[in-house]
Amino acid sequence: MLDATVVKLLNEQINKEFYSAYLYLDFSNYFESAGLDGFANWYKIQAQEERDHAMLFYQYLHNNNEKVTLEAIAKPDQAFSCHMDVLKAGLAHEIYVTSLINTIYSAAYDVKDFRTMQFLDWFIKEQGEEETNANDLISKMELFGSDPKSLYMLNSELQARVYSAPSLVL
Ligand code: MG
């Protein structure tokens, strides 16, 4: 049996990760409409990764004989006035998710739940990578986004991103 607070936070994280997937699909949706298929591809793959994250939390709870409750997924309701707005919303979201992971880790630490801490280690590292990726996108857009030819090249670069399953297997 895991600690009740830890279970509650892990269960909520399933929903947060599915929301992340939905949010990134909305970003992809924005870029599809804007004609930037590479950016759309990048965020579509990002959405796929977030679904994987949700399923890892789901499976971790089941593997520990805990009950999972699936809640409603919130509607992504941000309006964007330019491409950069989307990228910045992505970074802000990842910083928020990092804080959520840290909160669960902290709760596990409080009750000496070493198993959950070890499970979360992968997510601690993953969040570092997610923030780096979001920052890199913003930097590239700042450098190249205002020139149509450079934007075309950047879009082509993001078009090349391919999905790969998470390295964490439960
Ligand atoms: Mg995630």
Side-chain angles (χ1 to χ4, degrees), residues 17 50 53 97 127:
E17 298 291 343
E50 300 302 346
H53 296 168
V97 173
Q127 281 313 118

Side-chain angles (χ1 to χ4, degrees), residues 51-117:
R51 287 196 295 276
D52 291 338
H53 296 168
M55 292 311 295
L56 287 167
F57 283 97
Y58 171 90
Q59 199 59 53
Y60 180 75
L61 284 170
H62 276 300
N63 287 358
N64 285 279
N65 292 313
E66 297 292 347
K67 199 166 165 288
V68 167
T69 308
L70 299 176
E71 304 288 353
I73 301 164
K75 176 184 177 181
D77 58 358
Q78 283 163 283
F80 305 111
S81 56
C82 66
H83 307 332
M84 184 62 103
D85 272 4
V86 182
L87 307 193
K88 287 189 172 168
L91 176 60
H93 184 69
E94 287 305 332
I95 290 169
Y96 166 65
V97 173
T98 297
S99 78
L100 296 174
I101 300 293
N102 288 348
T103 297
I104 310 172
Y105 200 101
S106 179
Y109 179 86
D110 285 346
V111 295
K112 293 188 166 62
D113 179 355
F114 302 115
R115 186 189 299 168
T116 298
M117 286 159 68

Side-chain angles (χ1 to χ4, degrees), residues 110-142:
D110 285 346
V111 295
K112 293 188 166 62
D113 179 355
F114 302 115
R115 186 189 299 168
T116 298
M117 286 159 68
Q118 193 179 50
F119 165 70
L120 290 173
D121 280 343
W122 186 87
F123 286 92
I124 299 279
K125 185 164 178 283
E126 173 72 12
Q127 281 313 118
E129 289 169 10
E130 298 282 34
E131 286 185 33
T132 299
N133 291 341
N135 265 313
D136 286 353
L137 270 186
I138 291 170
S139 299
K140 285 179 179 175
M141 189 60 121
E142 270 167 359

Side-chain angles (χ1 to χ4, degrees), residues 12-23:
E12 283 170 5
Q13 195 60 29
I14 297 172
N15 187 270
K16 304 285 187 188
E17 298 291 343
F18 275 123
Y19 173 75
S20 297
Y22 215 31
L23 182 69

